[in-house]
Each structure stands twice: as structure tokens, then as C-alpha cells.
Amino acid sequence: MTAVKEKTFKQVKSVKDDKFTIDKIERYCLIIQIGDRDLQVCIIDTKQNRTLLLEDYILNATDSEEEKSEQLQSLFETHHLLMVGFWKEVLICFKSEKFALVPLSYFSKENARALLKMNCSVEKTDSVGYYKVNSNDSVNIFTYNRSVLKWLRSVYVNSKIKVTHQSGMLVNSLLKNEPYLEGATVSIYIDRFYMHIGVTEADKLLFFNSFVIHKFEEYSKYIALVLNEFKLDKNNCNLKVWGHIKHNSSHFKALKNKFPSLSIGNRTTRLNFGYKFDEIPEHQYFDVYGNYFNL
């Protein structure tokens, strides 16, 4: 009897624009964002600045780099597009919890690991990458899954590949999010198991950090800490939220009760979206779209 192979992923969102055509793939950018327990896929037409596809997957939990690579191989092999190798550009974005945003003037390739160790614990076995964040003069240093990246490079040998990190892509989205509000803006991105908070003023980044969330009360705790640090009034400041939270949910209402000025964030105006994307709330996948600004 042949053993049935366990399925290691589940699709939770899929939207495809009618304008997508395989005949124009050479002008499309493929974005693959990889987290511990999830994966997002996005395709953007770089000539029309139009988002053509967005998919979201939940992955089985694993601490093994090799098993994560096998998970992705299983998903890709059943997908109608991901094994195609002639994209204009492929952006591979990791969502690892170990990262640092360093001013460009302080960065050197030789000191990348040392700079990252100033911000978090880095093991000798950790693979460390870096790249220039396009929206400001900073370098994003981060850890990544070596097995996954090696396999993806073997798939996309005919495409230009860039490797990024979720934190830098959120910074891109925040700093490219016109029109700018007057004064400082506190931007919250609620991810699965994490919360990211950025503070910006016009096109300048003042603060960015990520917090592991174990219970709901921690959202309010960390938001209050950031507001206090910048001496901002919770009743009368620019406070926006994006990510995995629904506008009519009990969680949003609870946060709104604690922070009356809180509002739902908007989708980036730099990209075009067809009517098919109306089914996706505008405040979701803000991080994924940020990869477009690192082309």
C-alpha cells in the first residue's frame, strides 16, 4: 500500500486579476514572503504598477530548515505558476524575528553579523543577509533559512533575485504612504504572532520595532510604551493599524476603546488594484506590497 503524504500547507486567500496573462510574465515581478508558519505570494506588473495576484498560505509548524524547504517544494510543485522560471524579477522576503535596521553610514559588509548581534542573539549556525532599504538610508540585516533560499535560487536561475526582510518592507510601505499626515504617525502592523510598530514623520523613520505577542493584553502594553516614548496623546494622535485584524472585530473595538484615535490604515496608493481585490480589506498585506518599493 502506498503511504499518503501529509499535506503541509493550506491556502487561506487567493485573488487573481483578469489582466494576468502568462504571455507577459517577463515583465512581472514575483514576490514570495516566507514566515515561520505562513507564506504569501504576490505578482505585480511592473509596467502598469498593477497587482495581479495575491495568495496566502498557512504552513505546518517546523523548526527544521530542511523540512521547511520540503514544505515549500511540495506547495510549489502543485502550483500552476510558482515553478515558472522567467519572471522579470523575484523578491524573496523572509519574516525571521532576528533583524536590525542600521544607518547606511554605519554599515559595512564585514561587520554585518556583529551589527545584528547588537540587536539580538545570533548563533554561529545562523545565516545572515543584508540589503539597502530603498525608502531611506538604512541597511536591513537579518537571518534567513539557508536551505529555502538555496532551493529557490535553483528554481529561478533565469530571473533576477533580490532577498529582503519583512521589517524593511514595512518601512518601505510606511514611508511611501502618501499623502503624509501632519506630525508624527504611529503605525501598527498586526501579524500572526507578532506586532510591528513604526513611527514616522513625513518621509522620515523615527522608530521601528517588533514584538512577540503571547496574549491580547500585550498589544495595548507595547502601543502605550511607544506613545509614551514619543509623548503622544492616545486621544489625539495619528495612530493607524494594518494587518490581521478586522475592523468590526472585538479585538479592534477593544484597542479602539483604549486608544480612541486608532483608525484602520489605507492601502498604498502607489500600486493599482483591479475590482477583484475589493474582497481583500485595504489594510491587509501592507508588508507584502512594500516589496514593490525595493525593485
Side-chain angles (χ1 to χ4, degrees), residues 99-223:
F99 72 90
L101 289 160
V102 180
L104 184 60
S105 57
Y106 287 91
F107 175 78
S108 71
K109 296 178 180 179
E110 295 75 19
N111 291 329
R113 182 177 290 268
L115 288 168
L116 182 59
K117 289 177 71 173
M118 294 174 66
N119 197 53
C120 56
S121 174
V122 182
E123 307 299 328
K124 289 184 178 180
T125 54
D126 284 335
S127 299
V128 175
Y130 52 84
Y131 66 96
K132 167 73 170 58
V133 179
N134 277 0
S135 59
N136 70 346
D137 289 327
S138 68
V139 176
N140 205 177
I141 311 172
F142 58 97
T143 60
Y144 64 90
N145 186 314
R146 182 185 294 271
S147 295
V148 166
L149 183 56
K150 181 180 179 181
W151 180 73
L152 288 172
R153 286 191 183 281
S154 73
V155 174
Y156 302 117
V157 292
N158 295 309
S159 299
K160 180 180 179 181
I161 294 177
K162 287 185 180 177
V163 183
T164 65
H165 187 268
Q166 181 193 29
S167 56
M169 300 306 96
L170 280 169
V171 169
N172 274 345
S173 286
L174 295 176
L175 295 182
K176 299 291 187 180
N177 191 32
E178 299 172 332
Y180 302 120
L181 300 176
E182 184 177 348
T185 297
V186 179
S187 300
I188 303 159
Y189 188 84
I190 295 178
D191 204 349
R192 298 175 174 114
F193 317 115
Y194 295 92
M195 177 173 64
H196 313 278
I197 302 181
V199 181
T200 56
E201 190 160 4
D203 59 349
K204 304 297 182 184
L205 180 70
L206 307 180
F207 171 89
F208 186 90
N209 205 354
S210 298
F211 306 89
V212 179
I213 299 297
H214 300 286
K215 53 185 179 181
F216 180 75
E217 292 77 14
E218 292 175 331
Y219 288 112
S220 298
K221 171 186 173 182
Y222 294 128
I223 295 170

Side-chain angles (χ1 to χ4, degrees), residues 58 70 108 141 147 209 245 247 264:
I58 300 297
E70 291 173 2
S108 71
I141 311 172
S147 295
N209 205 354
I245 187 170
H247 185 263
I264 292 290

Side-chain angles (χ1 to χ4, degrees), residues 211-256:
F211 306 89
V212 179
I213 299 297
H214 300 286
K215 53 185 179 181
F216 180 75
E217 292 77 14
E218 292 175 331
Y219 288 112
S220 298
K221 171 186 173 182
Y222 294 128
I223 295 170
L225 283 173
V226 174
L227 292 182
N228 183 64
E229 177 68 22
F230 286 87
K231 297 179 172 56
L232 296 171
D233 181 3
K234 67 178 183 179
N235 297 297
N236 188 28
C237 68
N238 300 322
L239 186 60
K240 291 188 174 185
V241 63
W242 284 267
H244 296 279
I245 187 170
K246 294 182 178 179
H247 185 263
N248 59 353
S249 67
S250 59
H251 283 176
F252 178 80
K253 292 175 182 177
L255 288 175
K256 179 74 172 176

Side-chain angles (χ1 to χ4, degrees), residues 55-112:
E55 295 179 346
D56 192 4
Y57 296 86
I58 300 297
L59 308 175
N60 286 1
T62 178
D63 293 325
S64 166
E65 287 200 357
E66 289 73 21
E67 287 183 6
K68 174 57 73 64
S69 181
E70 291 173 2
Q71 277 187 349
L72 296 186
Q73 289 182 47
S74 177
L75 191 161
F76 277 45
E77 288 168 359
T78 62
H79 199 279
H80 67 295
L81 288 172
L82 290 177
M83 294 300 288
V84 176
F86 296 96
W87 306 93
K88 178 180 180 181
E89 194 158 356
V90 177
L91 274 77
I92 301 167
C93 181
F94 287 96
K95 293 172 64 175
S96 58
E97 63 181 43
K98 298 180 181 181
F99 72 90
L101 289 160
V102 180
L104 184 60
S105 57
Y106 287 91
F107 175 78
S108 71
K109 296 178 180 179
E110 295 75 19
N111 291 329

